[in-house]
């Protein structure tokens, strides 16, 4: 039965819409055009916890972290003009990484639209390319239907961000409120059902293959298909590799998990992509950082592509069989059609290639015996101290690749990072949202010195909320990833990548956050434990080697077969 309330303002109606959709937390920053909403929100502080970030971009990223850690829709709020435009980077990040957000922005009154009024910006026009859907509300009566539609679109099918722009008059005007959750939108089919024909064709290729390989992405996580996906992997005994956003869908220590694909992924799965006879892509979009040169990518293999979004099929890589549907539902339907198999000889090829990477790279970086501290050994020590169970939230750069390569994941939704957009400044606010979305879990934010300074003002949000995020800054005094490219491809011309950094420990003290700087290997293990034992937030700066590179590496535009170990 629809909820009905007579004669309430549009601003109060927004509150009731949020409550009806099960929202209990939102991230935002007030301002003139959204002030009526905040005035009503003041009356509902017990029902709706509002987190005041220090920048609207921080609000968007925090909402992303919240959504990614628990699968719910993240909500962020901003005023018109600069407040709305400051959300755009987070919205674009959410769009390319399929994160469900509802972004609410205030707008000038309907009568002033198009007049270049104070803080008027066409946020609907600006955000159209980076939202799943957006809409401008100019009448209070529109609010219930549009808000219901917004949440339905954001969470259904392939999730994504939705922006609702609400004029100030629509927030003030009164009307009789009635709310019905949205269950269908005309011409929108969010979750296609895999055809029997495609499932039979996929099963035939899998059952007949001699050297199959699975590459799985975030679609497995989004559809909550982790358990049934593991059943598929174990029944067929197929080596399975993950994209950067697919990590944690299958435990990294699972015997059939062969590592990460992509530019800085593991040696074996990258190299053997061009040797398998069947490539099974599950919930991934064949991003250029995964495929390298498309002209040489897996040309010897048949390709099966499982995806919920028809637009991804044949976009980058031609699929011999396309299974269009929700990953969990598709795999459940496929499982009875699959034969139990043994690919031991093929798996041994992966093991032999892994041994090469282990001896030439991994052993040297996770357990060095001399020289400066390395990023990988810091991650390795955190693994041990957290029993591989922490949620690892990263920013973007070398530390991100090191964390994705070396952080072990034994629990679901334990890897939160900016994948497709590669947004520096993502890590700190996203970790705040992740911790608030999963307070029972240990959340560790791994950042470089460059990315940390992109949004370090969010330490103020931590100061105010006391949220127990553990912050680790891997400080190499460079924009590390750009510096690596300059070293390898630009004759070490370090143009604008050397960082003269402030005292991060003093900055943390200014926000009443316990902190410490580690420079020596002998201090590292005890300092990590001190951080974990501290109740509430903590900032640990670790001085790491200045010119450490992330290897293996596939140079930009090259084939996955051209992966370099040094």
């Amino acid at each position: 039965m629809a909820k009905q309330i007579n004669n309430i303002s549009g601003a109060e109606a927004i509150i009731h819409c949020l409550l009806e959709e099960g929202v209990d937390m939102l991230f935002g920053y007030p301002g003139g055009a959204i002030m009526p909403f905040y005035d009503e929100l003041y009356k509902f502080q017990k029902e709706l916890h509002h987190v005041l970030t220090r920048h609207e971009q921080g609000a968007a990223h925090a909402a992303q972290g919240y959504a990614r850690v628990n699968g719910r829709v993240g909500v962020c709020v901003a005023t018109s003009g600069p407040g709305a435009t400051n959300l755009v980077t987070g919205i674009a990040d959410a769009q390319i990484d399929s994160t469900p957000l509802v972004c609410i922005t205030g707008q000038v009154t309907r009568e002033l639209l198009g007049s270049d009024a104070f803080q008027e910006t066409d946020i609907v026009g600006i955000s159209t390319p980076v939202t799943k859907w957006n809409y401008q509300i100019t009448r209070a009566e529109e609010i219930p239907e549009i808000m219901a539609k917004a949440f339905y679109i954001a969470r259904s099918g392939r999730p994504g961000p939705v922006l609702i722009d609400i004029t100030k008059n629509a927030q003030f005007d009164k009307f009789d409120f009635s709310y019905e959750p949205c269950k269908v939108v005309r011409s929108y089919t969010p979750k296609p059902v895999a055809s029997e024909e495609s499932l039979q064709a996929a099963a035939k290729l899998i059952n007949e293959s001699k050297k199959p390989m699975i590459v799985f992405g975030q679609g497995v996580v989004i559809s909550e298909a982790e358990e049934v996906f593991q059943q598929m992997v174990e029944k067929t005994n197929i080596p399975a590799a993950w994209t950067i956003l697919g990590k944690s869908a299958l435990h990294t220590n699972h015997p059939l998990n062969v590592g990460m694909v992509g530019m800085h992924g593991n040696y074996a799965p990258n190299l053997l992509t061009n040797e398998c006879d069947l490539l099974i892509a599950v919930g991934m979009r064949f991003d250029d950082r995964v495929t390298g040169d498309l002209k040489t990518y897996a040309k010897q293999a048949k390709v099966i592509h499982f995806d919920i979004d028809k637009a991804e099929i044949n976009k980058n890589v031609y699929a011999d069989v396309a299974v269009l549907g929700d990953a969990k539902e598709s795999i459940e339907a496929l499982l009875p059609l699959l034969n139990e198999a043994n690919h031991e000889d093929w798996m041994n090829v992966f093991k032999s290639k892994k041994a090469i990477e282990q001896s030439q790279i991994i052993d040297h970086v996770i357990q060095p015996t001399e020289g400066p501290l390395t990023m990988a050994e810091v991650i390795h020590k955190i693994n041990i101290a957290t029993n591989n169970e922490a949620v690892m939230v990263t920013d973007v750069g070398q530390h991100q690749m090191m964390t994705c390569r070396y952080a072990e994941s034994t629990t679901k939704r334990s890897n939160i990072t900016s994948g497709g957009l590669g947004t520096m400044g993502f890590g700190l606010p996203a970790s705040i949202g992740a911790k608030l979305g999963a307070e029972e879990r240990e959340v560790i934010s791994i950042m470089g010195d460059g990315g940390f300074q992109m949004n370090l003002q969010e330490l103020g949000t931590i100061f105010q909320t006391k949220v127990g995020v553990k912050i680790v800054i891997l400080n190499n005094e460079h924009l590390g990833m750009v510096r690596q490219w300059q070293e390898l491809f630009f004759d070490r011309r370090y143009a604008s990548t050397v960082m003269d950094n402030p005292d991060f420990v003093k900055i943390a003290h200014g926000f009443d956050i316990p902190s410490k700087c580690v420079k020596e290997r002998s201090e590292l293990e005890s300092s990590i434990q001190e951080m974990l034992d501290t109740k509430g937030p903590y900032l640990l700066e670790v001085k790491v080697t200045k010119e450490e590179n992330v290897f293996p590496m596939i140079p930009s535009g090259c084939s996955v077969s051209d992966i370099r170990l040094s």
Side-chain angles (χ1 to χ4, degrees):
M1 184 176 178
K3 180 173 183 176
Q4 297 183 354
I5 309 173
N6 294 331
N7 196 37
I8 65 171
S9 70
E12 185 179 347
I14 300 168
I15 303 289
H16 287 290
C17 292
L18 296 174
L19 294 174
E20 286 295 304
E21 292 292 342
V23 175
D24 57 10
M25 183 172 297
L26 56 160
F27 306 85
Y29 204 97
I34 197 66
M35 204 175 298
F37 167 77
Y38 272 91
D39 186 55
E40 289 297 336
L41 186 61
Y42 184 80
K43 306 170 187 176
F44 288 86
Q45 294 180 62
K46 291 182 179 180
E47 295 88 348
L48 279 171
H49 177 45
H50 178 269
V51 178
L52 176 64
T53 58
R54 296 307 188 258
H55 191 282
E56 292 88 353
Q57 183 183 345
H61 291 325
Q64 286 179 272
Y66 177 89
R68 292 271 291 275
V69 81
N70 61 28
R72 301 177 66 184
V73 177
V75 179
C76 57
V77 185
T79 193
S80 62
T85 58
N86 283 343
L87 289 177
V88 171
T89 297
I91 294 171
D93 196 285
Q95 172 77 341
I96 201 165
D97 283 354
S98 304
T99 304
L101 296 187
V102 169
C103 310
I104 300 168
T105 56
Q107 186 55 274
V108 300
T109 61
R110 180 173 55 189
E111 293 76 14
L112 290 177
L113 290 173
S115 71
D116 290 333
F118 178 66
Q119 291 192 333
E120 181 194 2
T121 299
D122 179 11
I123 192 59
V124 170
I126 290 170
S127 66
T128 293
V130 293
T131 49
K132 191 176 177 183
W133 182 62
N134 64 16
Y135 188 89
Q136 185 177 75
I137 293 175
T138 59
R139 297 182 302 107
E141 292 80 4
E142 297 179 281
I143 289 172
E145 179 184 356
I146 297 304
M147 290 293 291
K149 188 175 178 182
F151 276 90
Y152 174 71
I153 291 174
R155 69 163 67 97
S156 61
R158 180 179 181 175
V162 171
L163 183 137
I164 304 301
D165 192 44
I166 309 176
T167 59
K168 201 168 185 178
N169 63 282
Q171 297 173 59
F172 276 125
D173 291 346
K174 300 287 186 73
F175 74 112
D176 292 338
F177 172 84
S178 178
Y179 194 81
E180 284 277 6
C182 181
K183 297 179 180 178
V184 65
V185 174
R186 192 174 65 178
S187 302
Y188 171 54
T189 306
K191 195 161 71 169
V193 177
S195 69
E196 182 65 25
E197 181 183 11
S198 68
L199 292 168
Q200 291 286 352
K204 185 174 188 297
L205 285 178
I206 294 170
N207 290 335
E208 293 176 353
S209 64
K210 303 300 181 185
K211 297 194 294 183
M213 173 179 167
I214 294 171
V215 178
F216 60 95
Q218 192 182 205
V220 178
V221 178
I222 292 170
S223 67
E224 300 181 335
E226 293 94 343
E227 291 182 11
V228 69
F229 176 71
Q230 183 173 328
Q231 292 174 31
M232 171 187 168
V233 170
E234 292 174 348
K235 184 174 184 179
T236 59
N237 275 290
I238 297 176
W242 38 273
T243 69
I244 194 171
L245 294 181
K247 185 177 182 180
S248 82
L250 182 69
H251 293 186
T252 51
N253 59 7
H254 191 283
L256 290 166
N257 189 326
V258 292
M260 182 172 77
V261 292
M263 180 173 281
H264 292 289
N266 294 105
Y267 186 58
N270 274 309
L271 198 65
L272 296 178
T273 296
N274 280 359
E275 295 185 24
C276 66
D277 63 6
L278 177 65
L279 184 63
I280 307 160
V282 185
M284 55 85 76
R285 59 187 180 85
F286 290 111
D287 176 74
D288 65 292
R289 287 295 172 105
V290 166
T291 65
D293 181 12
L294 283 168
K295 294 177 183 177
T296 61
Y297 182 77
K299 291 303 179 184
Q300 80 295 337
K302 296 286 187 181
V303 175
I304 303 172
H305 193 175
F306 290 79
D307 209 288
I308 199 168
D309 186 353
K310 188 176 182 180
E312 294 298 342
I313 304 298
N314 298 330
K315 185 176 80 174
N316 294 324
V317 173
Y318 172 77
D320 296 275
V321 175
V323 182
L324 193 62
D326 173 80
K328 184 177 182 180
E329 294 178 2
S330 296
I331 295 171
E332 285 175 338
L334 179 70
L335 263 176
L337 306 177
L338 298 177
N339 298 334
E340 293 189 9
N342 187 325
H343 297 288
E344 185 176 357
D345 290 344
W346 173 232
M347 188 65 193
N348 285 336
V349 180
F350 281 87
K351 291 178 181 178
S352 67
K353 303 298 182 186
K354 180 182 179 181
I356 294 171
E357 182 181 353
Q358 188 78 34
S359 64
Q360 293 192 28
I361 298 175
I362 297 173
D363 289 342
H364 300 289
V365 296
I366 67 170
Q367 293 180 311
T369 56
E370 58 184 8
L373 287 159
T374 70
M375 290 181 273
E377 73 174 305
V378 177
I379 303 304
H380 180 62
K381 293 294 185 182
I382 292 173
N383 285 341
I384 295 170
T386 60
N387 197 31
N388 303 332
E389 294 177 346
V391 178
M392 303 292 267
V393 184
T394 76
D395 209 83
V396 169
Q398 285 184 314
H399 70 277
Q400 175 192 32
M401 294 298 103
M402 290 293 193
T403 304
C404 290
R405 283 178 53 80
Y406 296 112
E408 301 290 341
S409 296
T410 58
T411 53
K412 299 177 184 179
R413 295 185 180 270
S414 58
N415 176 57
I416 298 175
T417 192
S418 172
L421 199 63
T423 305
M424 290 180 69
F426 172 89
L428 184 58
S431 65
I432 293 170
K435 182 63 177 177
L436 290 169
E439 294 188 67
E440 74 286 356
R441 300 187 67 182
E442 190 74 78
V443 174
I444 300 178
S445 183
I446 308 289
M447 287 173 283
D449 44 309
F452 173 66
Q453 292 179 83
M454 284 271 187
N455 269 321
L456 68 79
Q457 78 283 341
E458 297 308 326
L459 292 177
T461 306
I462 294 174
F463 172 73
Q464 185 162 346
T465 61
K466 311 302 181 189
V467 60
V469 173
K470 311 302 184 187
I471 303 163
V472 178
I473 302 173
L474 302 179
N475 183 1
N476 59 11
E477 298 179 6
H478 284 85
L479 296 175
M481 189 59 81
V482 183
R483 186 215 56 76
Q484 177 169 335
W485 280 57
Q486 289 171 332
E487 176 187 338
L488 298 176
F489 307 114
F490 293 89
D491 296 326
R492 292 180 181 265
R493 293 188 294 274
Y494 296 156
S496 301
T497 49
V498 178
M499 301 283 286
D500 291 333
N501 291 317
D503 187 326
F504 296 132
V505 170
K506 286 184 179 178
I507 290 173
H509 284 168
F511 289 97
D512 200 26
I513 296 172
S515 57
K516 185 176 184 179
C517 179
V518 172
K519 299 178 182 179
E520 303 297 331
R521 184 163 286 114
S522 58
E523 302 176 277
L524 180 60
E525 193 169 326
S526 62
S527 298
I528 290 172
Q529 194 59 52
E530 179 183 325
M531 174 183 73
L532 296 173
D533 290 342
T534 300
K535 185 177 181 181
Y538 193 99
L539 186 147
L540 181 66
E541 177 189 3
V542 184
K543 297 275 191 174
V544 295
T545 183
K546 293 184 180 182
E547 295 189 80
E548 181 180 5
N549 290 331
V550 188
F551 285 107
M553 179 181 183
I554 302 169
S556 181
C558 291
S559 167
V560 292
S561 299
D562 296 325
I563 187 168
R564 295 170 52 172
L565 289 169
S566 62

